[in-house]
Amino acid sequence: MSASTKRPVRARMTASQRREQLLDVSRRLFAEKGFEGTSVEEIAARAQVSKPVVYEHFGGKEGMYAVVVDREIQALTQALIGALERGGHPQVLVERTALALLDYIESSTDGFRILVRDSPVAQATGTFSSLIGDVAMQVEHLLAEQFTKRGLDPRTAPIYAQMLVGMVALTGQYWLDARNPKKDEVAAHLVNLAWNGLAGLQKNPQLRGETA
């Protein structure tokens, strides 16, 4: 074979690059097939490496899954808590929280699919329900403050926080596949129900926005 017809030599990945490649490949497979439906053999085949390479980096499928889940938990936590920490009108806080979750679903669909699946392995690093519980605790303090200002019993804030965050989370799970209506419209309807209640629903709700 002449020099001109030889196959180009692929650049060898560093250990860090290989690790990221394996995480990227496994993330797609976990989202597509779930933890139980994904095998080390398939991960290795997709990444074009041998099984020992996978074991060398993560010790097995469980270790890889734990890293993937932990990264997604951190990304979504930062987005949701970040939406709440900026303060502002309570209605705007509900808007921000809803949009933060929908933004995450839109930009990290595979990650969200992984988080909403139930797997024993996920319980070691956190589950979607535990994450939502953490966010509800943040909302609880904000609601208690508002309840006190409005003459309502602040001791009821925890249950209302669970209601609000749970409603946003379940709507996000529905929108994951439906993707209809558009993100802003979904957020507007969420706020419509959360803020106005069934008795005061608006026919054509609009987001209040940061400057309102």
Side-chain angles (χ1 to χ4, degrees), residues 13-188:
M13 288 187 181
T14 64
S16 177
Q17 290 171 332
R18 179 64 74 190
R19 178 181 173 85
E20 291 303 317
Q21 182 219 16
L22 290 171
L23 286 172
D24 186 54
V25 167
S26 64
R27 182 174 179 270
R28 290 196 298 270
L29 284 169
F30 289 140
E32 179 186 338
K33 300 184 175 185
F35 175 78
E36 295 297 338
T38 301
S39 66
V40 172
E41 289 83 356
E42 193 169 9
I43 293 171
R46 287 271 187 104
Q48 298 183 328
V49 298
S50 63
K51 285 172 56 178
V53 172
V54 177
Y55 289 115
E56 177 187 345
H57 283 275
F58 297 98
K61 184 175 69 169
E62 292 80 4
M64 185 176 295
Y65 187 84
V67 174
V68 170
V69 170
D70 187 59
R71 285 188 174 189
E72 297 302 329
I73 287 283
Q74 288 185 36
L76 183 51
T77 299
Q78 289 174 2
L80 294 175
I81 301 302
L84 295 168
E85 286 181 338
R86 289 156 53 196
H89 192 280
Q91 184 176 347
V92 175
L93 292 177
V94 177
E95 288 182 8
R96 282 205 218 111
T97 303
L99 285 172
L101 178 62
L102 296 175
D103 282 341
Y104 172 79
I105 293 172
E106 190 173 61
S107 63
S108 188
T109 300
D110 283 350
F112 190 74
R113 286 191 191 281
I114 293 169
L115 288 184
V116 296
R117 293 180 189 272
D118 287 328
S119 169
V121 181
Q123 293 175 8
T125 53
T127 62
F128 183 63
S129 59
S130 66
L131 167 63
I132 294 306
D134 290 342
V135 175
M137 288 182 64
Q138 295 284 330
V139 174
E140 176 186 325
H141 298 302
L142 296 168
L143 285 182
E145 196 175 296
Q146 288 298 319
F147 280 19
T148 300
K149 289 180 179 179
R150 295 167 183 267
L152 301 172
D153 186 355
R155 292 176 297 179
T156 62
I159 188 65
Y160 278 97
Q162 293 289 336
M163 292 176 192
L164 281 172
V165 176
M167 180 175 67
V168 172
L170 287 175
T171 302
Q173 287 182 251
Y174 165 80
W175 193 72
L176 172 66
D177 293 313
R179 296 301 171 99
N180 185 55
K182 292 181 179 180
K183 180 174 60 181
D184 286 358
E185 192 175 347
V186 173

